[in-house]
Amino acid sequence: MKKIIPGLFLAAAVLVSPPAAHAASSHIKVDGAAVASDVKPEMKNNRTMVPLRVISENLGAAVDWSHSEVTLTKNKMKVILKANSATAVKNGEEVQLDSKPYVKNNRVLVPLRFIAETFGCTVGYSNSTVTVDSPPLVINDIAIKTLQTEYHMTMGGVVEQINGNSYIDSVYKLMDSGKGQKVDAPASFAWRANIDVPGSYYKNKQYDFLDSKGSSVKRYDVYTLVEAFPAEDLKGFAKVLIHDAKSDQWYLFSETAVNSLAKLTDSASSNGYSKVISNTVV
């Protein structure tokens, strides 16, 4: 059954659609950070159109191309779009767009409001800047302000903070959904690899979800099996585990989820959502 989405960018009292010439010189801010793009937003049929990959990835959505289709996924939401088609598929249901995606300078431009609201965000326009704001992640009725990550090397470590709501939410949901069955704590686990005991795990990274006062509301630690032993000595040991530090519970965790976490945090860093708090690596 087709569902019509009316007025994807019909202006409210404070969101009056700007003239085309004005919009052509506008910029994008997602969760307060300016988004860099070689193709700027523009007006098309009174709708604000933005580069697909740039806006989607900064909202924490994965972008995949297959033939002439592009698929956006985030948490439980999946959207399929085609260039020059007014029909999209949203979690298996066809919906009608009132502005077709199109290609310009080898970039697909899509209606901003549809993409933003599909992923639970609000859209605004002020002083030549298009703004997209996503709600904060809430854990145990507490709004999360910052995601703090930490990792260690042979000598020293790095502490970094991410402040984009969409990135924080995506990291948390990925961890939560990537957890497998509960398991017992390993016999040996630490920041440094223990090469004396088969079945030892070293901590890849620590993730702290902080409230507005900087207190940790939730902490997950990702551990990887130390493989400095013959294969027969490692039979039965999972390659990756995740530890819920607050409840002191261990779970199986997938390698795919680890790779996805790395992509998310790398994207947050490259797009200006993170800052290094401490770097003691020598």
Side-chain angles (χ1 to χ4, degrees):
M1 171 179 168
K2 290 190 176 183
K3 180 171 119 185
I4 305 296
I5 298 182
L8 295 179
F9 201 67
L10 289 177
V14 294
L15 291 178
V16 178
S17 296
H22 193 193
S25 64
S26 63
H27 302 278
I28 309 172
K29 274 191 174 183
V30 179
D31 288 339
V35 174
S37 174
D38 54 359
V39 178
K40 293 181 179 179
E42 61 184 30
M43 294 299 292
K44 190 83 168 181
N45 299 326
N46 293 320
R47 302 291 180 263
T48 299
M49 309 296 289
V50 295
L52 171 65
R53 183 174 294 276
V54 169
I55 193 66
S56 299
E57 290 186 347
N58 280 281
L59 291 177
V63 181
D64 294 300
W65 286 94
S66 177
H67 305 296
S68 61
E69 294 183 345
V70 59
T71 301
L72 312 177
T73 53
K74 179 181 178 181
N75 304 330
K76 296 181 180 181
M77 178 58 67
K78 180 178 179 181
V79 179
I80 301 173
L81 298 164
K82 289 183 180 179
N84 302 314
S85 173
T87 302
V89 179
K90 186 175 173 181
N91 277 357
E93 180 184 6
E94 283 193 354
V95 296
Q96 293 297 308
L97 306 174
D98 57 4
S99 189
K100 297 179 182 178
Y102 59 90
V103 178
K104 181 176 181 179
N105 297 337
N106 294 318
R107 300 288 184 270
V108 176
L109 276 78
V110 294
L112 171 64
R113 187 170 291 275
F114 171 70
I115 298 297
E117 292 186 349
T118 289
F119 295 116
C121 303
T122 57
V123 179
Y125 192 94
S126 176
N127 298 325
S128 300
T129 300
V130 178
T131 60
V132 181
D133 294 301
S134 52
L137 169 68
V138 176
I139 303 175
N140 299 328
D141 296 324
I142 301 173
I144 302 303
K145 178 70 174 178
T146 304
L147 168 61
Q148 181 167 290
T149 67
E150 181 177 353
Y151 66 88
H152 287 229
M153 302 181 73
T154 303
M155 296 183 68
V158 176
V159 178
E160 195 169 5
Q161 290 187 344
I162 296 173
N163 292 300
N165 287 342
S166 288
Y167 279 109
I168 295 171
D169 180 75
S170 293
V171 168
Y172 181 78
K173 297 290 173 54
L174 179 60
M175 288 179 154
D176 201 46
S177 64
K179 290 187 299 187
Q181 69 184 57
K182 291 182 179 181
V183 294
D184 293 332
S188 174
F189 56 93
W191 277 112
R192 293 190 177 184
N194 183 343
I195 59 173
D196 297 322
V197 181
S200 296
Y201 289 79
Y202 67 93
K203 189 190 291 190
N204 276 357
K205 208 165 190 178
Q206 178 174 307
Y207 299 80
D208 270 292
F209 296 86
L210 310 180
D211 62 17
S212 59
K213 297 180 180 179
S215 300
S216 179
V217 177
K218 192 79 170 178
R219 192 184 103 197
Y220 281 120
D221 303 327
V222 176
Y223 286 84
T224 300
L225 179 67
V226 178
E227 299 190 75
F229 303 92
E232 58 268 22
D233 291 340
L234 298 178
K235 286 182 179 179
F237 292 108
K239 285 193 174 182
V240 186
L241 298 175
I242 189 168
H243 180 222
D244 184 336
K246 292 291 183 179
S247 64
D248 192 23
Q249 180 61 60
W250 292 79
Y251 301 86
L252 298 179
F253 200 57
S254 72
E255 292 179 82
T256 300
V258 172
N259 293 333
S260 296
L261 283 173
K263 288 180 180 179
L264 275 172
T265 53
D266 287 348
S267 178
S269 180
S270 63
N271 286 308
Y273 291 91
S274 67
K275 62 179 179 179
V276 174
I277 304 301
S278 172
N279 186 344
T280 59
V281 176
V282 294

